Amino acid sequence: MLVRPRRNRLSPQMRGLVRETSLSPDRFIYPMFVQEGEAQRTPISSMPGQARLSVDLLVETAAQAFALGVPGVALFPALSDDLKDPRGTESTNSQGLLQRAVRALKAALPSLLVITDVALDPYSSDGHDGVLLDGRIDNDITVPILAQMAVAQARAGADIVAPSDMMDGRVGAIRSALDAAGFNQVGICAYCVKYASAFYGPFREALDSAPRGGDKKTYQMDPANVREALREVRLDEAEGADWLMVKPGLPYADVLRHVRDLTALPVASYQVSGEYAMLKAAAQNGWLDYDKSILETLLCLRRAGADIIFTYAAIEAAKLLA
Ligand code: PBG
């Protein structure tokens, strides 16, 4: 007798019944770039369809995402050079761009989850996630700044703060600072396993936040390593993270699976700017069907173990899934 796995694939109905993984917008977070001004939309050339938005348009676009079933957004501010300094002082300004954007979003859309990025790079004149001192990134000078930044974001109304800096000990320091300031309901999405990846290129164009010297390899992880990721997972869990993230997405699907199997916490995957750019570029050349391939990548991330997916395609995919 021939064993026939194809019987379970005979019709859409049959395939639906045996499908192991589902994809729905309620798992998406939409990363957005915010800039100064009013009615301003500055397209990002390496990310077709994405733009830096002034606060008014940010609110409009977030409302569109929310109406399509996307529960949250992740915010990244694009600052002019005159606001950047070596210690990222602007990051704790209660009237700063990011804090104003958070307040506007929460006022217009109280149920939208607003996730803010905790790292120095958008605010740093050196373009690094930590403080550069004598040619090195100083971990212990950076951590208290990150903790203050997180509190400033919580005060503006952030639901979840997301340290993406990869300094040692920052999750615990942020948790303590949030609790001490009365924000014990504000969660932490730890960019726990973040690799030093070439796939962040378009993002750095969007924010003009590329390192002005050197690279990020002394704090972001070596793409060759996975045991090291498991070590980061244990630390961030112990320090009080609510979600753990693996970043980038698809090239690190194996890491995602390892992390999913190790922790009881929700695991997020970040489908980063370069992954989005690759699909858009191929589609613009007529080499790939964008709609089909973007949904496939998102499904694959879910299958690999992602509970939550940060994706620039959140709105497009939500429309396709509607
Ligand atoms: C920086 C940060 C980066 C991204 C999110 N937060 C870039 C970097 O580490 O240089 C990348 C996201 C993307 O490429 O979409 N703290």
Side-chain angles (χ1 to χ4, degrees):
M1 184 198 60
L2 186 63
V3 178
R4 297 185 185 275
R6 287 184 56 200
R7 272 198 297 269
N8 281 342
R9 303 179 201 134
L10 273 178
S11 68
Q13 291 71 24
M14 185 65 91
R15 293 193 293 274
L17 283 169
V18 303
R19 187 160 297 129
E20 300 172 33
T21 310
S22 66
L23 187 64
S24 141
D26 57 7
R27 302 296 184 142
F28 298 161
I29 296 291
Y30 184 40
M32 305 181 78
F33 304 105
V34 57
Q35 66 169 49
E36 288 291 356
E38 223 174 289
Q40 296 296 311
R41 184 176 199 284
T42 313
I44 301 158
S45 59
S46 54
M47 300 177 73
Q50 306 303 313
R52 298 198 301 253
L53 302 172
S54 53
V55 173
D56 51 335
L57 296 188
L58 180 86
V59 172
E60 245 176 57
T61 310
Q64 191 196 353
F66 192 67
L68 285 161
V70 176
V73 298
L75 298 183
F76 299 95
L79 265 57
S80 59
D81 268 348
D82 54 305
L83 288 174
K84 300 185 183 184
D85 64 25
R87 301 214 172 193
T89 313
E90 176 67 9
S91 65
T92 56
N93 178 359
S94 64
Q95 299 310 311
L97 172 62
L98 180 89
Q99 274 70 248
R100 278 182 279 124
V102 173
R103 282 196 294 269
L105 283 171
K106 291 305 289 186
L109 304 159
S111 306
L112 177 78
L113 292 172
V114 174
I115 302 175
T116 49
D117 191 64
V118 181
L120 254 54
D121 53 320
Y123 307 97
S124 156
S125 44
D126 298 308
H128 276 287
D129 294 21
V131 176
L132 187 66
L133 210 64
D134 302 328
R136 293 186 311 120
I137 300 299
D138 193 303
N139 194 89
D140 298 3
I141 288 180
T142 303
V143 168
I145 300 176
L146 298 171
Q148 286 168 24
M149 188 187 309
V151 169
Q153 294 170 349
R155 195 160 278 139
D159 298 286
I160 296 165
V161 297
S164 68
D165 56 285
M166 291 297 280
M167 297 300 119
D168 294 331
R170 91 286 203 207
V171 172
I174 289 171
R175 186 69 273 158
S176 304
L178 288 173
D179 290 356
F183 297 111
N184 62 15
Q185 298 300 297
V186 171
I188 300 177
C189 166
Y191 284 63
C192 172
V193 184
K194 178 171 175 181
Y195 288 92
S197 172
F199 290 100
Y200 307 150
F203 174 98
R204 293 176 188 172
E205 182 210 318
L207 293 189
D208 186 23
S209 65
R212 311 272 153 109
D215 54 43
K216 299 191 175 185
K217 290 180 184 171
T218 69
Y219 45 107
Q220 298 180 348
M221 281 181 46
D222 183 340
N225 294 353
V226 67
R227 292 197 303 268
E228 191 180 351
L230 306 184
R231 195 172 175 215
E232 291 282 359
V233 165
R234 292 194 189 96
L235 285 170
D236 284 1
E237 264 189 351
E239 289 179 34
D242 297 281
W243 300 353
L244 301 179
M245 182 189 281
V246 176
K247 178 181 175 193
L250 217 48
Y252 297 83
D254 60 321
V255 181
L256 198 55
R257 170 48 56 193
H258 277 287
V259 171
R260 174 63 290 160
D261 290 344
L262 183 74
T263 183
L265 290 176
V267 176
S269 167
Y270 198 138
Q271 181 175 57
V272 301
S273 56
E275 300 180 74
Y276 176 83
M278 284 196 297
L279 288 187
K280 284 287 178 182
Q284 282 183 351
N285 275 294
W287 297 340
L288 268 184
D289 179 327
Y290 178 79
D291 293 355
K292 285 185 180 149
S293 35
I294 192 70
L295 291 182
E296 183 176 330
T297 60
L298 295 168
L299 182 70
C300 291
L301 290 170
R302 292 271 298 134
R303 191 200 61 231
D307 300 294
I308 301 157
I309 304 174
F310 287 54
T311 175
Y312 299 99
I315 289 183
E316 294 165 337
K319 284 182 184 160
L320 293 169
L321 293 166

